[in-house]
Amino acid sequence: MRLEKASTTCRERCAQFVAHNLHLGNTHDIALAAWLMLALASSFLALTTRLNEITHDSFHEMSLFREALIAGALPQNDLFAYTPTVAPSVHHEWGTGAILYFATVGSGLGWIGLIALKLLLMVSLWCLLYRVARLRGAHPILFTCLSLLVFPVLWVGFSTVRAQLFTLVFLAAQLYMQELDWRGRRAWILVWLVMLVGWLNMHAGFVVGLGLIAFHTLERMVAAWMQKGRLSAVLHDTWHLILAAPVAFAALWVNPYGSRYIPYLVHAIGMSRPLIREWQPIWYTYAPVITIVLLAASIGMFVYCQRHTRLRRLRGTAFLALCIYMAVKHIRHGSLFAIVWIAYVPAWFSRTAVGKSWIHWIEARRTQAIRLCQIVVVTTLAFAVGNQFWHPTLSSTPKHSSVCYPVGAVEYLRSQGFEGNLQTPFHAGSYVSWELYPAVHVSLDGRYEVAYQEHVMGEHHRFVKGEADWWEILDKYSTDAVLVQKGTPVAELLEPFRTTSTVAQPPIQSSWYFAYEDDSYFILAKPATRLPPMSRIGEAIADGVREALSPRHTHWNRKQTRPFYSVNMCSKRLRL
């Protein structure tokens, strides 16, 4: 009898805990809502599991911050490349590099710290989105069901760990703050200004936050005028937003680059990036058919809500419409659209006749809905566990995409004590810098317009694709060795260098030979490098994540093995 009573009490307390934290009140089925939330969480975890490969951006961000710790100041000019660069090199994601550095090698946690940071950011994001949606009136059932609709565009930004993920969390936090503003709260604006300073030093996505606050201010002004029809009422409701505008503008100077940050930002925002896939329109995305179908459905639901929701409840409509345009134009902006859509549309739809009928239909089939959620939870968790969602990877062979890292090639160059200039692919250069700088300088990495002059990217693209005089880059710069990923068009064009015959070789002045080769990469080197030939064809190369994020890469260990340099150093041939 006591055991049964204790069990009943435990269930009641669990139900109260769930109801309190999900803000369910007494009007919703707690068990159904809890299972729906769990199904949503496990589905999202499964979605992001295959994005556990460490993004190349993290390496150039951490490399820069490590050099800043060694020098005592953030470098204003590029350190890592030997090809033409811009000056100053305004790295707007340096703050992300600082967080990633201390979460991994700085703390000694390595890859554990990295995945813990990612999971923390994802949990924070969803908690904020749920809170915003509930404040706006979203029913928990519709919040969970409708969120699945935008999963195909939400995945962008959840690589391990890119700066865009911080933007998504900041955006969700700002949406929450703006809901507080509609309820008469004002102190949040101080928190937002502090957040803005951190945001602009971590990712250029802070301009989305500026745009959102501008739309919000305009909506507040229009709402106050329509309700009261007096200018004094408008000023009473928006004075804090008006005063925040010049402070936010002044905050743009709170960065290591000062006034030089703004011209760079203007150039970067207006710059086209036709050679980078995530900057292409949505129909170039992965699984384009299902993505476009579900995106069209989500847009259709947005339009439906506009026609069946009272005007005063449609705050945020204009900004979400802008996000739709951004998502269609660029793949990478799909996640911004998804965040705002999840925060707004479930709340609008919950008040429509169709939305209410959906809720009643699901609640009437409570048992079947819970069973379906349980199946989804088990299936998605099994998928996530099977793919080791808790373990980031740095694979030397392609897994879920055509990209992989030159783990074996880097090991080889380090073991040979190579010092010189290495021509690198776009996605591999920052990893080489993280592992081999200052002995090795690279020709290109993922920083793109942050560090390199515009023609450098085009030259490397022609080389990799084997297009129009692709060989010219080999003679143009003082390159000592070339890192080439197998499977690219140029890899086949370089095969003649395996023999001593010059008949089939491209018309270049310098001579090259195969110094290293594994199943994914090979290295061409000039004879002057004296690199001994090595083949690891057919040999399994271990995942490089543990070594890449080991304490060996800390600034303290580096400081003990290299002399000090000037933070304004701009020589590309410097040997330390």
Side-chain angles (χ1 to χ4, degrees):
M1 191 69 178
R2 290 182 178 178
L3 183 61
E4 182 179 352
K5 184 177 180 180
S7 176
T8 302
T9 303
C10 182
R11 286 197 300 270
E12 290 176 351
R13 289 180 177 178
C14 290
Q16 292 173 359
F17 175 82
V18 172
H20 173 73
N21 286 277
L22 295 183
H23 302 276
L24 298 178
N26 299 319
T27 60
H28 302 296
D29 188 314
I30 295 174
L32 177 58
W35 275 110
L36 283 168
M37 291 293 178
L38 190 57
L40 175 65
S42 62
S43 298
F44 184 72
L45 184 64
L47 175 71
T48 58
T49 292
R50 301 185 73 174
L51 299 174
N52 264 9
E53 185 172 75
I54 299 178
T55 176
H56 61 89
D57 289 335
S58 63
F59 290 115
H60 63 69
E61 292 159 355
M62 291 193 296
S63 296
L64 178 70
F65 187 71
R66 181 176 60 186
E67 299 309 311
L69 292 177
I70 294 173
L74 199 69
Q76 301 295 299
N77 293 310
D78 173 69
L79 304 175
F80 307 106
Y82 66 91
T83 47
T85 58
V86 296
S89 176
V90 179
H91 201 310
H92 60 282
E93 297 178 0
W94 74 270
T96 298
I99 293 176
L100 296 178
Y101 180 86
F102 285 121
T104 55
V105 297
S107 64
L109 293 175
W111 65 268
I112 296 176
L114 184 65
I115 202 65
L117 174 64
K118 180 180 181 179
L119 293 175
L120 175 63
L121 291 173
M122 292 196 302
V123 170
S124 300
L125 174 64
W126 279 103
C127 288
L128 287 167
L129 286 178
Y130 179 76
R131 187 62 181 135
V132 172
R134 291 289 289 132
L135 285 173
R136 295 174 66 94
H139 194 286
I141 290 178
L142 292 184
F143 174 82
T144 54
C145 295
L146 296 184
S147 295
L148 297 172
L149 196 61
V150 293
F151 269 22
V153 295
L154 178 60
W155 64 271
V156 183
F158 289 91
S159 299
T160 310
V161 169
R162 61 184 306 181
Q164 188 175 353
L165 181 53
F166 289 97
T167 279
L168 300 182
V169 175
F170 287 142
L171 179 60
Q174 183 171 329
L175 291 171
Y176 174 68
M177 293 178 192
Q178 291 178 183
E179 288 306 308
L180 298 180
D181 189 56
W182 284 103
R183 287 160 175 77
R185 306 275 287 274
R186 299 290 183 267
W188 67 269
I189 197 69
L190 299 176
V191 178
W192 179 80
L193 288 170
V194 174
M195 184 181 78
L196 177 64
V197 173
W199 195 349
L200 67 89
N201 282 284
M202 296 175 67
H203 189 233
F206 79 92
V207 296
V208 178
L210 294 178
L212 178 60
I213 202 73
F215 275 90
H216 174 70
T217 302
L218 183 60
E219 286 184 331
R220 292 284 279 140
M221 289 180 173
V222 172
W225 180 261
M226 292 180 64
Q227 290 175 5
K228 303 172 184 177
R230 300 192 311 273
L231 180 60
S232 59
V234 174
L235 295 176
H236 177 271
D237 288 355
T238 61
W239 63 268
H240 58 297
L241 298 171
I242 297 173
L243 291 179
V247 180
F249 182 72
L252 298 180
W253 274 260
V254 186
N255 67 83
Y257 307 99
S259 61
R260 292 178 292 183
Y261 184 92
I262 298 177
Y264 157 75
L265 186 66
V266 173
H267 169 71
I269 292 176
M271 183 179 178
S272 63
R273 298 170 175 85
L275 301 180
I276 299 181
R277 185 172 185 176
E278 66 178 19
W279 285 95
Q280 298 299 309
I282 192 65
W283 46 86
Y284 288 100
T285 190
Y286 304 96
V289 175
I290 188 172
T291 299
I292 292 174
V293 168
L294 293 182
L295 178 61
S298 63
I299 295 174
M301 186 167 290
F302 164 71
V303 174
Y304 171 81
C305 290
Q306 304 310 298
R307 299 186 60 184
H308 296 83
T309 303
R310 293 179 181 178
L311 181 62
R312 65 184 181 85
R313 295 187 181 277
L314 289 176
R315 58 182 187 268
T317 294
F319 187 76
L320 182 52
L322 176 62
C323 289
I324 292 174
Y325 167 75
M326 294 168 60
V328 173
K329 187 177 181 180
H330 297 137
I331 296 171
R332 66 173 285 135
H333 291 148
S335 57
L336 299 176
F337 158 75
I339 293 302
V340 181
W341 193 95
I342 292 171
Y344 288 172
V345 174
W348 291 331
F349 194 66
S350 294
R351 292 188 170 91
T352 65
V354 175
K356 292 176 181 178
S357 66
W358 285 17
I359 295 170
H360 294 154
W361 188 86
I362 294 174
E363 288 179 335
R365 293 159 178 78
R366 175 183 181 277
T367 302
Q368 296 94 317
I370 290 178
R371 293 291 179 268
L372 178 61
C373 289
Q374 291 170 343
I375 293 173
V376 170
V377 169
V378 171
T379 303
T380 53
L381 284 182
F383 178 84
V385 172
N387 285 274
Q388 297 183 323
F389 72 89
W390 63 87
H391 201 297
T393 64
L394 198 67
S395 177
S396 61
T397 56
K399 284 190 173 182
H400 308 304
S401 68
S402 60
V403 174
C404 60
Y405 284 93
V407 177
V410 166
E411 291 177 356
Y412 166 77
L413 292 174
R414 182 189 296 115
S415 66
Q416 300 301 321
F418 173 75
E419 294 186 10
N421 295 333
L422 181 66
Q423 183 175 312
T424 49
F426 175 81
H427 66 276
S430 56
Y431 171 66
V432 173
S433 294
W434 174 250
E435 291 284 354
L436 301 179
Y437 182 82
V440 177
H441 288 74
V442 299
S443 63
L444 182 68
D445 56 49
R447 291 173 296 166
Y448 201 4
E449 84 284 349
V450 168
Y452 298 93
Q453 296 182 15
E454 292 188 22
H455 64 87
V456 175
M457 180 69 173
E459 291 170 342
H460 282 75
H461 179 76
R462 288 194 299 273
F463 175 80
V464 171
K465 295 297 183 180
E467 299 173 348
D469 300 332
W470 57 268
W471 57 83
E472 290 183 350
I473 193 174
L474 297 176
D475 287 328
K476 185 173 182 179
Y477 302 113
S478 53
T479 302
D480 300 309
V482 183
L483 178 66
V484 181
Q485 183 175 355
K486 289 186 174 181
T488 57
V490 75
E492 297 182 6
L493 297 175
L494 293 172
E495 282 296 317
F497 286 108
R498 289 186 182 277
T499 65
T500 57
S501 173
T502 60
V503 175
Q505 292 183 6
I508 56 178
Q509 299 177 5
S510 53
S511 58
W512 302 84
Y513 70 99
F514 273 69
Y516 171 86
E517 187 174 12
D518 59 35
D519 292 331
S520 299
Y521 283 89
F522 63 82
I523 295 176
L524 284 181
K526 288 181 177 179
T529 61
R530 298 183 179 179
L531 289 172
M534 174 181 288
S535 176
R536 299 182 69 178
I537 297 292
E539 181 180 340
I541 299 175
D543 191 290
V545 66
R546 291 182 181 272
E547 170 59 25
L549 299 180
S550 68
R552 183 179 66 82
H553 295 82
T554 60
H555 67 285
W556 181 249
N557 289 333
R558 282 282 308 282
K559 188 181 292 186
Q560 293 176 333
T561 59
R562 58 169 293 190
F564 177 82
Y565 59 84
S566 168
V567 298
N568 291 317
M569 179 182 63
C570 60
S571 172
K572 306 305 175 194
R573 297 289 297 176
L574 187 65
R575 292 291 179 266
L576 301 176

